[in-house]
């Protein structure tokens, strides 16, 4: 079970080399993988996500297959050079080198009965070799397939085996006689086969007999259950995409399949119902929105005709089919259960998520644009309409039926209003919070404001001019009568809805600004750009207060949660990132830190007043405030027997505290006013601590090197002062009062 989660959410790669094969031990403790260029076997502790050991494989070419035995102590690797090597995982050495296979060994598997010490392999000759590990000899070659053998599965008692191949057949073998019992034509290239455990009650999938049954997965994307004795298909589970791998998870009675689109599906046995789905590759993320009650899901438009709905808590995914070309943009209605999508197939679709099951289905669709639909916006007050903008330069408003989310068929949408809005592609549309206004942004460098109050019409109210390049996004403020726009000229602008004038311009992105949203109750803006950056702006000051750098390519998707405490970004680098607002947490931490500082300062004052210098010095060092430590040193030196007291106090400090004091002395010594205190501390440390101990202090060498030049400068200054004072004393001795009596 852990294998699936590791592949889905873990990343065990530590370099850029291609991994040609990997295997997970049966005890779920370690994972092995081989990098093709370096020809290294690497042993991973996947729970800690670190490589515990690596060693060079004896293979001279990349390894094509590998597997563990049931005890997780032996590892078999099949190479492209036709050899098979066995490794002792515990003692880390090669135990067998099996030669005789022709070409690439693409399949290796141990017999489940470890007492037999048998290994099964298959290579380009399409035969299945049985190796006796006691003698290191091939004892038999099972011939039945005429194409690559893709999978082997053993019966619970180990006496029967089923092999599958791309020649569209499965063969049932009797391992005692090493003969084929039956050939089952399955009429598709089979990539995986699993024998169902005999103890499982298969009545749910209409299997009544207790004979041997197995499941196949292949190019048709269908899981099929076959009866071995009659070669009859008992049941099938439909999946619209071809399957490339099938894996049995006996501990949880589940099957795992991998699709050609790199998605992992988990099926529950015996009903073969889909339990979870993990998406392996997102391609370019074009848009992403929060969805569901409490923003528990996100819906993602990637560079494909499918939509992906992720549950944030589990990473499980639903794939939504309906559009026939790339989905470009998404928008979500206020309650979060309805959302709309538009695509290059010139259509609009409305989807509904069931609040209990989390399942999503298409409830309405409409078509009418003559080119790709690149932008969509939902009504804000209630789910009554959607507005779209297209590359055909028009905007359309589509009315939704009142019972849109009810059970039933797919409603057909018709446009209540169509307007040629711009001279070039419409890149963005936005509906105002009161559903009365519509804004559109276009490649023609303008944004326009439209009224939606007319019956069956969209009327132009004004034009926003000022951007030097095409307008990528428009967004209404939730609290003020202003509109935000972003452009390929690298700026974001705020416009007044009253007189269509530009109120503010935000400059900071190095490339096109692709998306903009209002956050913090309309007081701040979030923008995302082609430079991969997301910037947070405070509107009142025009200041960029935060730059988030988590993407390597264009950030097309940007959306805030309804509670305004999270946001999600999606980028052309295939990454989707969920961000949390930590402003309140940081403020609370800062306030707690300040309160702690005040309490410690008060305690320090009390300790100094009580002449408890050792505790005061320790507290000042813990605050990491050189000036406060200097204040304590000055207080010690101002008292009686200052030298002895300073010496006694400093020598009682811990080593880490002495390191800090030495570091502070370097700072104090640079100032003529504080150099005497620094020199007094240094005198104590240098006279009472051996050089070996001092040199062990962290950064001691650099600290001492920093002390020398300033100390020399202070000595020269004191020397000059001493000379001047002696000269003054000499002059005083030689002076005579003018007109005084002579001696």
């Amino acid at each position: 079970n852990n294998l699936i989660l590791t592949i889905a959410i873990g990343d065990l790669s530590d370099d850029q080399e291609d991994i040609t094969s990997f295997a997970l031990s049966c005890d779920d403790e370690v994972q092995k993988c081989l990098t093709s260029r370096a020809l290294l076997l690497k042993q991973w502790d996947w729970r800690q996500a670190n490589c515990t050991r690596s060693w060079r494989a004896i293979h001279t070419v990349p390894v094509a297959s590998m597997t563990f035995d049931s005890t997780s102590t032996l590892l078999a690797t099949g190479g492209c050079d036709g050899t098979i090597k066995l490794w002792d995982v515990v003692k880390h050495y090669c135990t067998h080198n099996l030669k005789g296979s022709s070409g690439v060994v693409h399949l290796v598997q141990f017999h489940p009965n470890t007492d037999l010490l048998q290994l099964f392999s298959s290579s380009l000759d399409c035969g299945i070799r049985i190796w006796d590990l006691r003698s290191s000899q091939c004892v038999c070659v099972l011939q039945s397939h005429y194409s690559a053998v893709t999978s082997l599965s053993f019966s619970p008692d180990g006496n029967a085996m089923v092999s599958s191949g791309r020649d569209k057949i499965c063969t049932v073998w009797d391992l005692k006689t090493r003969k084929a019992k039956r050939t089952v034509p399955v009429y598709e290239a089979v990539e995986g086969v699993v024998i169902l455990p005999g103890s499982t009650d298969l009545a749910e999938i209409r299997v009544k007999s207790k004979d041997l049954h197995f499941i196949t997965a292949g190019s048709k994307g269908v899981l099929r259950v076959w009866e071995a004795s009659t070669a009859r298909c008992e049941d099938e589970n439909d999946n619209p995409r071809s399957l490339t791998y099938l894996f049995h998870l006996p501990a949880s009675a589940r099957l795992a399949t991998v699709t050609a689109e790199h998605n992992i599906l988990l099926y529950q046995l015996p009903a073969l119902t889909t339990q979870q789905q993990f998406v392996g590759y997102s391609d370019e993320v074009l848009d992403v929105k929060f969805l569901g009650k409490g923003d528990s899901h996100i819906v993602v438009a990637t560079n494909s005709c499918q939509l992906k709905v992720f549950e944030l808590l589990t990473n499980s995914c639903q794939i939504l089919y309906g559009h026939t070309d790339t989905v470009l943009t998404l928008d979500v209605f206020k309650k979060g259960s309805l959302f709309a999508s538009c695509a290059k197939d010139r259509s609009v679709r409305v989807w509904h998520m069931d609040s209990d099951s989390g399942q999503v289905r298409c409830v309405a669709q409409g078509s009418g644009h003559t080119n790709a639909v690149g932008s969509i916006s939902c009504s804000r007050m209630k789910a009554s309409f959607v507005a779209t903008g297209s590359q055909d330069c028009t905007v359309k408003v589509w009315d939704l039926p009142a019972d849109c989310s009810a059970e039933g068929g797919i409603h057909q949408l018709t446009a209540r209003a169509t307007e040629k809005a711009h001279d070039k592609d419409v890149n963005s549309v936005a509906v105002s919070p009161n559903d009365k206004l519509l804004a559109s942004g276009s490649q023609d460098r303008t944004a326009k404001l439209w009224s939606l109050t007319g019956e069956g019409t969209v009327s132009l109210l004004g034009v926003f001019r000022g951007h030097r390049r095409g307008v990528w996004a428009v967004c209404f403020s939730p609290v003020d009568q202003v509109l935000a726009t972003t452009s390929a000229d690298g700026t974001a602008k705020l416009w007044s809805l009253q007189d269509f004038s530009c109120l503010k311009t935000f400059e900071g992105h190095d490339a096109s600004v692709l998306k903009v949203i209002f956050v913090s109750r309309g007081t701040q803006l979030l923008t995302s750009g082609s430079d991969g950056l997301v910037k947070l702006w405070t509107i009142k000051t025009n200041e960029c207060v935060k730059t988030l750098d988590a993407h390597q390519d264009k950030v097309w998707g940007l959306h805030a949660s309804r509670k305004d405490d999270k946001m999600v970004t999606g980028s052309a680098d295939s990454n989707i990132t969920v961000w949390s607002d930590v402003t309140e947490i940081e403020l609370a931490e800062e306030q707690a830190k300040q309160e702690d500082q005040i309490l410690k300062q008060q305690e320090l004052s009390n300790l100094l007043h009580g002449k408890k210098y050792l505790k005061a010095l320790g507290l000042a060092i813990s605050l990491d405030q050189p000036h406060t430590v200097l204040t304590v040193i000055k207080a010690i030196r101002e008292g009686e027997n200052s030298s002895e007291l300073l010496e006694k106090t400093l020598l009682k400090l811990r080593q880490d505290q002495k390191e800090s004091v030495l570091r502070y002395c370097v700072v104090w010594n640079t100032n003529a006013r504080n150099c005497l205190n620094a020199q007094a501390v240094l005198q104590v440390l240098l006279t009472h601590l051996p050089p070996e101990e001092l040199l062990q202090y962290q950064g001691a060498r650099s600290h001492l090197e920093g002390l020398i030049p300033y100390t020399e400068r202070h000595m020269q200054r004191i020397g000059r002062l001493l000379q001047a004072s002696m000269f003054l004393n000499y002059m005083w001795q030689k002076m005579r009062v003018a007109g005084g009596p002579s001696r």
Side-chain angles (χ1 to χ4, degrees):
N1 304 344
N2 292 330
L3 167 64
I4 301 300
L5 294 177
T6 304
I7 298 172
I9 63 174
D11 183 4
L12 298 183
S13 57
D14 62 347
D15 50 35
Q16 300 300 315
E17 294 172 355
D18 294 335
I19 296 174
T20 59
S21 182
F22 79 95
L24 191 78
S25 60
C26 297
D27 58 5
D28 283 354
E29 289 300 324
V30 292
Q31 183 178 353
K32 300 273 183 177
C33 56
L34 177 84
T35 53
S36 60
R37 296 189 189 121
L39 295 176
L40 288 176
L41 282 167
K42 295 192 177 183
Q43 179 175 312
W44 294 80
D45 179 347
W46 64 264
R47 286 189 175 89
Q48 301 297 324
N50 65 329
C51 180
T52 57
R53 185 175 175 271
S54 63
W55 67 96
R56 187 164 293 279
I58 307 174
H59 293 278
T60 56
V61 289
V63 169
S65 57
M66 56 172 37
T67 185
F68 283 94
D69 74 338
S70 57
T71 64
S72 301
T73 57
L74 280 179
L75 173 73
T77 57
C80 295
D81 54 3
T83 65
I84 302 169
K85 293 176 172 53
L86 271 73
W87 307 83
D88 187 314
V89 177
V90 179
K91 297 181 180 177
H92 305 114
Y93 67 92
C94 182
T95 61
H96 297 72
N97 186 16
L98 309 178
K99 297 180 180 180
S101 302
S102 58
V104 177
V105 181
H106 58 262
L107 179 64
V108 286
Q109 196 158 337
F110 287 95
H111 192 283
N113 186 348
T114 54
D115 295 333
L116 294 179
L117 281 175
Q118 287 182 346
L119 178 72
F120 291 71
S121 70
S122 182
S123 57
L124 289 181
D125 61 3
C126 307
I128 303 170
R129 284 177 165 77
I130 304 177
W131 302 86
D132 183 355
L133 300 183
R134 291 186 176 89
S135 61
S136 298
Q137 297 297 317
C138 176
V139 295
C140 183
V141 180
L142 306 178
Q143 295 286 358
S144 172
H145 292 276
Y146 297 95
S147 185
V149 178
T150 55
S151 179
L152 303 174
S153 182
F154 296 90
S155 62
D157 59 9
N159 294 328
M161 178 182 77
V162 177
S163 61
S164 65
R166 297 196 179 108
D167 52 4
K168 303 184 180 182
I169 64 169
C170 288
T171 304
V172 183
W173 302 89
D174 185 339
L175 294 182
K176 288 184 176 180
T177 62
R178 294 172 184 166
K179 301 288 184 183
K181 292 171 62 177
R182 180 174 287 276
T183 298
V184 180
V186 294
Y187 309 108
E188 66 170 334
V190 182
E191 298 293 336
V193 62
V194 167
I195 291 180
L196 290 172
S199 58
T200 306
D201 182 10
L202 304 176
E204 289 187 55
I205 51 175
R206 302 193 297 274
V207 176
K208 297 178 181 178
S209 68
K210 294 294 184 181
D211 293 339
L212 187 69
H213 289 81
F214 60 90
I215 293 180
T216 59
S219 58
K220 291 185 179 179
V222 178
L223 287 180
R224 288 176 173 169
V225 181
W226 301 83
E227 187 175 355
S229 59
T230 62
R232 188 174 70 242
C233 181
E234 299 282 0
D235 189 57
E236 60 181 54
N237 181 292
D238 191 24
N239 187 324
R241 294 296 176 267
S242 64
L243 303 173
T244 60
Y245 195 75
L246 179 64
F247 191 78
H248 186 214
L249 306 170
S252 59
R254 290 189 292 179
L255 290 175
T257 63
V258 181
T259 71
E261 295 176 334
H262 314 294
N263 302 330
I264 300 170
L265 285 86
L266 296 183
Y267 295 92
Q268 188 66 51
L269 287 173
L272 289 182
T273 53
T274 307
Q275 192 182 51
Q276 280 182 296
Q277 182 166 246
F278 301 101
V279 172
Y281 181 56
S282 293
D283 201 3
E284 186 172 350
V285 179
L286 300 182
D287 204 0
V288 59
K289 292 286 190 290
F290 281 107
L291 184 66
K293 187 178 180 180
D295 298 317
S296 58
H297 294 68
I298 56 172
V299 56
V300 182
T302 60
N303 196 18
S304 72
C305 56
Q306 298 118 35
L307 287 169
K308 299 180 176 73
V309 178
F310 291 90
E311 186 180 1
L312 291 175
L313 194 62
T314 63
N315 283 339
S316 183
C317 176
Q318 294 177 62
I319 297 181
L320 309 180
Y321 300 94
H323 286 287
T324 56
D325 206 340
T326 304
V327 181
L328 297 174
T329 316
L330 306 163
D331 198 21
V332 182
F333 287 93
K334 185 177 181 180
K335 290 186 178 179
S337 59
L338 272 178
F339 66 96
S341 62
C342 59
K344 284 185 179 179
D345 61 8
R346 308 176 186 179
S347 73
V348 179
R349 283 181 177 263
V350 180
W351 309 79
H352 177 256
M353 170 184 273
D354 186 90
S355 57
D356 297 323
S357 66
Q359 294 299 308
V360 180
R361 61 185 180 89
C362 181
V363 294
Q365 66 173 356
S367 57
H369 284 287
T370 59
N371 209 330
V373 187
S375 57
I376 192 165
S377 182
C378 299
S379 55
R380 298 302 169 208
M381 298 188 75
K382 61 179 182 177
S384 56
F385 67 88
V386 294
T388 57
S390 168
Q391 291 179 13
D392 61 12
C393 308
T394 66
V395 294
K396 288 180 182 286
V397 180
W398 312 74
D399 280 326
L400 298 187
D403 58 345
C404 189
S405 59
E407 290 291 335
I410 299 176
H411 298 274
Q412 292 298 318
L413 301 177
T414 55
R416 82 162 187 234
T418 302
E419 186 73 30
K420 185 183 184 301
H422 293 273
D423 297 328
K424 292 185 179 180
D425 300 358
V426 180
N427 290 332
S428 178
V429 291
V431 176
S432 65
N434 62 3
D435 287 349
K436 293 181 179 179
L437 300 174
L438 175 71
S440 61
S442 168
Q443 206 63 32
D444 64 7
R445 308 179 189 179
T446 66
K448 294 184 179 181
L449 187 66
W450 308 84
S451 172
L452 295 175
T453 54
E455 286 294 328
T457 60
V458 177
S459 55
L460 181 66
L461 297 178
V463 181
F464 304 96
R465 291 187 175 89
H467 283 295
R468 300 188 303 277
R469 298 276 180 88
V471 177
W472 274 114
V474 293
C475 183
F476 284 97
S477 168
V479 292
D480 294 315
Q481 293 190 4
V482 295
L483 180 76
T485 61
T486 63
S487 166
D489 61 13
T491 65
K493 290 179 181 287
L494 279 186
W495 308 83
S496 168
L497 299 184
Q498 303 293 330
D499 57 7
F500 310 106
S501 61
C502 180
L503 302 174
K504 288 179 181 289
T505 299
F506 302 89
E507 298 181 81
H509 285 279
D510 295 329
S512 300
V513 188
L514 302 175
K515 282 287 172 72
V516 60
I517 56 173
F518 285 87
V519 292
S520 304
R521 298 178 182 176
T523 61
Q524 291 182 307
L525 284 177
L526 272 169
T527 58
S528 65
S530 295
D531 50 11
L533 301 178
V534 178
K535 290 182 178 286
L536 178 65
W537 308 83
T538 298
I539 294 174
K540 187 175 182 180
T541 61
N542 263 48
E543 181 186 3
C544 176
V545 293
K546 191 77 173 179
T547 298
L548 307 173
D549 185 7
H551 294 288
Q552 307 301 318
D553 209 336
K554 301 179 184 69
V555 182
W556 288 110
L558 177 66
H559 192 227
S561 63
R562 287 191 289 278
K563 289 184 178 179
D564 223 12
D565 60 342
K566 288 186 294 187
M567 74 160 179
V568 62
T569 55
S571 168
D573 62 7
S574 303
N575 290 327
I576 300 164
T577 307
V578 179
W579 308 80
S580 292
D581 185 355
V582 294
T583 306
E584 293 184 2
I585 297 172
E586 288 183 349
L587 285 173
E589 287 178 353
E590 184 63 30
Q591 186 175 355
K593 190 176 178 181
Q594 289 178 358
E595 290 174 356
D596 188 50
Q597 291 276 19
I598 291 169
L599 290 173
K600 286 186 175 180
Q601 290 286 0
Q602 182 61 48
E603 186 182 353
L604 184 65
S605 300
N606 295 339
L607 290 171
L608 286 175
H609 185 72
K611 295 185 178 182
K612 298 177 180 178
Y613 296 120
L614 181 60
K615 286 186 177 180
L617 194 58
L619 182 59
I621 293 169
S622 70
L623 290 170
D624 197 23
Q625 295 178 351
H627 182 73
T628 308
V629 177
L630 181 63
T631 303
V632 178
I633 297 293
K634 286 180 178 178
I636 295 172
R637 296 189 68 228
E638 286 171 359
E640 297 179 1
N641 301 319
S642 58
S643 300
E644 294 178 10
L645 186 58
L646 181 64
E647 180 181 312
K648 181 181 176 182
T649 306
L650 288 173
L651 294 177
K652 285 184 178 179
L653 294 175
R654 299 191 309 270
Q655 181 175 326
D656 61 311
Q657 293 175 325
K658 291 175 184 174
E659 288 178 6
S660 299
V661 171
L662 182 61
R663 189 174 74 250
Y664 299 153
C665 282
V666 179
V667 179
W668 302 335
N669 199 48
T670 59
N671 191 318
R673 287 181 297 178
N674 302 326
C675 67
L676 288 178
N677 296 299
Q679 292 295 329
V681 172
L682 285 172
Q683 182 184 3
V684 174
L685 294 178
L686 293 174
T687 54
H688 291 84
L689 299 179
E692 295 81 9
E693 183 180 338
L694 278 172
L695 289 173
Q696 289 178 356
Y697 287 1
Q698 187 176 359
R701 292 181 183 275
S702 60
H703 294 334
L704 293 173
E705 288 173 2
L707 285 166
I708 291 170
Y710 281 99
T711 302
E712 289 177 347
R713 191 179 301 176
H714 295 320
M715 290 302 295
Q716 291 171 2
R717 183 169 52 81
I718 292 170
R720 289 194 300 271
L721 184 63
L722 188 60
Q723 287 178 357
S725 64
M726 290 181 69
F727 179 74
L728 185 63
N729 188 45
Y730 170 77
M731 289 295 294
W732 175 257
Q733 295 293 333
K734 297 298 182 181
M735 282 176 66
R736 296 288 185 269
V737 180
S742 57
R743 293 182 181 176

